[in-house]
Amino acid sequence: DTAVSQTPKYLVTQMGNDKSIKCEQNLGHDTMYWYKQDSKKFLKIMFSYNNKELIINETVPNRFSPKSPDKAHLNLHINSLELGDSAVYFCASSQDAAGGPAEQYFGPGTRLTVT
Amino acid sequence: GNSVTQMEGPVTLSEEAFLTINCTYTATGYPSLFWYVQYPGEGLQLLLKATKADDKGSNKGFEATYRKETTSFHLEKGSVQVSDSAVYFCALPREAGTALIFGKGTTLSVSS
């Protein structure tokens, strides 16, 4: 079984469209994340949810809206797509404890191309 | 806030060569430190970690030692293989919360 899965793996769309990316984890983790990886491989946190509650919301345009229907799922909806949104989007999850951040498990990524 | 600086690549080596990828950090306190690896077309996976000063993390022949005196966590491997070709990321947690801050990544290419 895949621990963290994302759909779709590839997404090609035109500017101005609205699209969603879905993420599911079957590890029983409490915390889920969205990271963005640009063309130079630079990774940056976008959002973090803990038990369906938004914990981190970085300086991301409000065209990006995450939703966590339950603690196993974290979706990312993007409105009015722009060329600069082209990137690979990674979902991740972790089960954190009092001792500090635990290992994060990453999904395979969704490569978004906006034309 | 916390930050991490990683040597830029690409690094090109022949099989069985010695590998070092430098990583230094700035942090409040002594957070856990991580190395992640990204193979072509895949997501990131944890390679190794260290949770306190002087800890050595190791996995698959890779090692890194958490050195607070030099605020470093350099990745080493004594003999690289073609299958080690990937992008390597040094990471540590943000000062608040559990999300990770990643270095810029170092691309390693190993030829036979």
Side-chain angles (χ1 to χ4, degrees):
Chain A
D1 268 348
T2 303
V4 182
S5 59
Q6 292 180 232
T7 53
K9 189 167 173 63
Y10 299 97
L11 185 53
V12 180
T13 188
Q14 292 184 327
M15 279 194 301
N17 284 349
D18 303 338
K19 290 293 178 187
S20 291
I21 306 171
K22 296 180 185 251
C23 176
E24 176 180 2
Q25 55 96 1
N26 62 8
L27 299 167
H29 289 168
D30 288 336
T31 308
M32 295 185 73
Y33 312 83
W34 279 113
Y35 289 89
K36 180 180 179 180
Q37 185 175 48
D38 65 21
S39 59
K40 295 185 178 178
K41 301 288 188 186
F42 183 60
L43 271 159
K44 189 172 179 191
I45 183 70
M46 299 175 68
F47 301 103
S48 170
Y49 271 77
N50 180 269
N51 279 317
K52 304 193 299 174
E53 182 182 344
L54 182 65
I55 301 298
I56 295 173
N57 182 351
E58 284 296 285
T59 310
V60 175
N62 58 16
R63 299 181 294 102
F64 289 80
S65 52
K67 278 196 173 54
S68 182
D70 56 62
K71 74 175 195 178
H73 295 84
L74 180 61
N75 303 323
L76 183 65
H77 187 75
I78 316 170
N79 289 326
S80 304
L81 278 154
E82 300 177 357
L83 292 176
D85 298 331
S86 295
V88 181
Y89 293 84
F90 286 102
C91 178
S93 72
S94 66
Q95 182 63 42
D96 300 309
E103 173 183 358
Q104 293 190 13
Y105 290 78
F106 282 77
T110 296
R111 181 175 294 276
L112 171 65
T113 304
V114 182
T115 61
Chain B
N2 292 356
S3 66
V4 60
T5 302
Q6 186 177 340
M7 69 180 273
E8 305 234 356
V11 174
T12 304
L13 295 173
S14 298
E15 214 166 18
E16 299 183 6
F18 184 85
L19 169 71
T20 299
I21 301 177
N22 290 338
C23 171
T24 57
Y25 66 90
T26 302
T28 304
Y30 301 104
S32 296
L33 301 175
F34 304 87
W35 276 101
Y36 280 82
V37 59
Q38 183 179 25
Y39 297 103
E42 297 184 12
L44 280 74
Q45 52 187 278
L46 180 69
L47 181 59
L48 54 83
K49 69 177 182 183
T51 57
K52 60 183 187 296
D54 299 325
D55 256 6
K56 178 187 280 189
S58 60
N59 186 24
K60 300 182 181 179
F62 290 89
E63 293 183 340
T65 301
Y66 190 159
R67 300 205 185 277
K68 66 178 184 180
E69 303 84 3
T70 53
T71 61
S72 65
F73 192 53
H74 304 322
L75 182 68
E76 297 181 335
K77 186 173 185 181
S79 177
V80 293
Q81 306 299 312
V82 172
S83 57
D84 294 327
S85 298
V87 183
Y88 294 81
F89 294 91
C90 187
L92 80 168
R94 289 158 51 111
E95 55 275 16
T98 58
L100 296 176
I101 300 170
F102 289 90
K104 291 188 176 180
T106 303
T107 299
L108 170 66
S109 295
V110 181
S111 57
S112 57

